[in-house]
């Protein structure tokens, strides 16, 4: 059994509150840096000195929604996690509020929730304010957790009035929505957003972004609205909505071309493509052709990045620390390799890095001399 397969994250290494409650601010987290199997330890505020002019940071602009709402099914108390807005839906015309992928969970009495099978089909789940949610069918056949459901009311308005951020049991208490939104978050015209925060970007602050831009680092926005990823489930990601705009495709392709040709006549001096978070990897790789050329794209992606599939565009990744059974580790392995990934996670445990959305972060860069 490998180190990764045997990995168990001690309870004491779960980040229970945001960094600004533990220290001096959002950027007051640690940064582990991997270059191949070489591992170094930094503060996140040192990031500008670890990147170089021309590097492109690909960031997810999806805003986190207050996606958890109390509900009732007969006499049973529930919490509905609204995951992903559907299209017209798999079973006929869309109702007034549309069709959403939802997770039904049981309150645990301490502000968080416990797993519960979805459905049953046709049940009338009562929402606050008089709305009704009707489960139709599982999102994936044979999986009981996420269901397509028809909703009788406008969901963004429902969430704005009654919703709160999804919270898992390792956190200490409820936090305001602002704690779950990154500096890059932008509101979507239709009220869509992410059920859970694209958390790799959480430590960024406006002064740090300004300093990176001053040093010649470029930012390329993408959008991927993340669905729920229950900590108990460890399932591959479900299909999610994404968009890679034309300006981002152009910037990424130009950076890759400049590295091939070499600015000033020397090859290899263009910028590296570094994704901020696994969601940015999924969006960008979904828009890339077999040769790595990125095209403007929008729609649904069901891409799962694995070592067998590999990556075509992304060369580096800034990400949080992931549970051992999470499919995200396959993505990291595709970018950095099994040996390097094992070494970095062994170091993270040894140095007691903090896990989860309020925790420390990991910067994966190509090995020295690779680019």
């Amino acid at each position: 059994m490998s180190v990764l397969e045997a990995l168990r994250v001690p309870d004491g290494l779960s980040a229970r509150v945001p960094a600004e409650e533990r220290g001096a601010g959002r950027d007051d987290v640690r940064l582990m840096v991997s270059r191949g199997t070489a591992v170094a330890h930094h503060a996140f505020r040192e990031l500008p000195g670890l990147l170089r002019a021309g590097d492109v940071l690909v960031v997810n602009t999806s805003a986190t929604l207050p996606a958890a709402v109390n509900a009732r099914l007969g006499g049973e108390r529930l919490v509905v996690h609204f995951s992903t807005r559907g299209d017209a839906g798999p079973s006929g015309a869309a109702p007034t509020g549309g069709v959403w992928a939802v997770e039904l969970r049981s309150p645990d009495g301490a502000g968080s929730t416990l797993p519960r099978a979805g459905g049953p089909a046709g049940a009338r789940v009562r929402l606050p304010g008089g709305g009704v949610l009707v489960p139709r069918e599982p999102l994936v056949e044979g999986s009981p957790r996420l269901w397509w459901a028809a909703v009788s009311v406008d969901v963004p308005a429902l969430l704005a009035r009654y919703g709160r951020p999804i919270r898992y049991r390792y956190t200490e208490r409820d936090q305001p929505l602002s704690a779950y939104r990154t500096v890059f978050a932008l509101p979507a015209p239709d009220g869509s957003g992410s059920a859970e925060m694209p958390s790799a970007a959480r430590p960024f602050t406006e002064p740090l972004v300004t300093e990176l831009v001053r040093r010649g680092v470029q930012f390329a926005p993408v959008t991927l609205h993340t669905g729920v990823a229950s900590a108990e489930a460890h399932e591959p990601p479900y299909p999610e909505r994404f968009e890679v705009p034309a300006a981002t495709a152009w910037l990424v392709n130009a950076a890759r071309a400049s590295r091939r040709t070499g600015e000033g006549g020397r090859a290899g001096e263009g910028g590296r493509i570094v994704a901020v978070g696994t969601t940015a990897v999924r969006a960008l790789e979904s828009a890339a052709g077999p040769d790595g050329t990125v095209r403007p794209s929008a729609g649904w992606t069901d891409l799962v990045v694995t070592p067998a599939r590999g990556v075509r565009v992304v060369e580096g990744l800034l990400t949080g620390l992931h549970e051992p059974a999470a499919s995200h580790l396959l993505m990291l392995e595709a970018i950095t390799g099994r040996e390097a990934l094992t070494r970095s996670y062994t170091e993270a445990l040894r140095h007691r890095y903090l896990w989860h959305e309020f925790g420390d972060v990991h910067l994966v860069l190509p090995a020295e001399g690779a680019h």
Side-chain angles (χ1 to χ4, degrees), residues 123-205:
R124 292 178 63 82
V125 177
R126 289 179 291 150
L127 300 170
V132 174
L133 178 150
V134 180
R136 287 181 168 179
E137 59 192 15
L139 189 63
V140 176
E141 186 177 356
S143 176
R145 190 169 69 93
L146 284 173
W147 282 57
W148 287 115
V151 189
S152 68
V153 293
D154 179 70
V155 172
L158 174 79
L159 300 183
R161 183 170 182 181
Y162 299 106
R164 62 187 180 276
I166 290 174
R167 175 190 158 200
Y168 289 117
R169 301 183 75 190
Y170 51 77
T171 56
E172 187 172 289
R173 56 182 174 271
D174 287 343
Q175 297 287 342
L177 183 59
S178 59
Y180 289 89
R181 285 189 169 170
T182 74
V183 71
F184 305 111
L186 296 172
D190 66 353
S192 295
S194 288
E196 297 186 6
M197 172 176 56
S199 56
R202 190 182 192 280
F204 283 89
T205 62

Side-chain angles (χ1 to χ4, degrees), residues 244-247 249-250 287 294-298:
V244 175
W250 181 90
V294 177
R295 296 172 176 82
S297 304

Side-chain angles (χ1 to χ4, degrees), residues 73 76-81 102-107 113-121 123 125 133 135-140 142-148 230 232-233 235 238:
L73 175 56
E76 181 186 5
R77 295 173 61 235
L78 298 176
V79 176
V80 180
H81 289 174
V102 301
E103 180 185 29
L104 303 183
R105 292 176 68 90
S106 300
T113 58
L114 298 168
R116 176 196 181 279
V125 177
L133 178 150
R136 287 181 168 179
E137 59 192 15
L139 189 63
V140 176
S143 176
R145 190 169 69 93
L146 284 173
W147 282 57
W148 287 115
S230 171
E232 296 89 359
E235 299 158 321
Y238 291 100

Side-chain angles (χ1 to χ4, degrees), residues 52-325:
R52 65 193 188 197
D55 282 345
V56 177
L57 290 180
V58 182
V59 297
N60 186 0
T61 62
S62 180
T64 310
L65 299 174
V69 174
N70 293 335
R72 284 189 175 272
L73 175 56
E76 181 186 5
R77 295 173 61 235
L78 298 176
V79 176
V80 180
H81 289 174
F82 284 89
S83 180
T84 305
R85 184 200 296 266
D87 293 324
S91 304
T96 302
V99 175
W100 284 72
V102 301
E103 180 185 29
L104 303 183
R105 292 176 68 90
S106 300
D108 67 355
S112 185
T113 58
L114 298 168
R116 176 196 181 279
R124 292 178 63 82
V125 177
R126 289 179 291 150
L127 300 170
V132 174
L133 178 150
V134 180
R136 287 181 168 179
E137 59 192 15
L139 189 63
V140 176
E141 186 177 356
S143 176
R145 190 169 69 93
L146 284 173
W147 282 57
W148 287 115
V151 189
S152 68
V153 293
D154 179 70
V155 172
L158 174 79
L159 300 183
R161 183 170 182 181
Y162 299 106
R164 62 187 180 276
I166 290 174
R167 175 190 158 200
Y168 289 117
R169 301 183 75 190
Y170 51 77
T171 56
E172 187 172 289
R173 56 182 174 271
D174 287 343
Q175 297 287 342
L177 183 59
S178 59
Y180 289 89
R181 285 189 169 170
T182 74
V183 71
F184 305 111
L186 296 172
D190 66 353
S192 295
S194 288
E196 297 186 6
M197 172 176 56
S199 56
R202 190 182 192 280
F204 283 89
T205 62
E206 291 183 5
L208 187 65
V209 171
T210 299
E211 176 62 15
L212 286 162
V213 171
R214 189 186 71 80
R215 291 180 179 231
V217 175
Q218 303 178 87
F219 285 85
V222 298
T223 301
L224 187 137
H225 296 314
T226 66
V228 298
S230 171
E232 296 89 359
H234 304 315
E235 299 158 321
Y238 291 100
E240 294 167 321
R241 291 182 181 274
F242 82 104
E243 180 181 5
V244 175
T248 289
W250 181 90
L251 180 59
V252 169
N253 292 334
R256 296 179 74 239
S258 71
R259 190 176 59 254
R260 288 194 300 268
T261 60
E263 295 176 358
R266 290 178 294 179
E269 292 193 354
R272 298 163 294 186
I273 309 303
V274 180
V276 178
T278 57
T279 61
V281 176
R282 196 182 198 201
L284 196 61
E285 291 288 328
S286 296
D291 63 350
T293 300
V294 177
R295 296 172 176 82
S297 304
W300 291 88
T301 177
D302 59 1
L303 176 66
V304 180
V305 177
T306 66
R309 189 267 188 189
V311 288
R312 299 168 179 174
V313 185
V314 173
E315 299 153 292
L317 173 63
L318 180 71
T319 184
L321 294 160
H322 301 285
E323 294 282 358

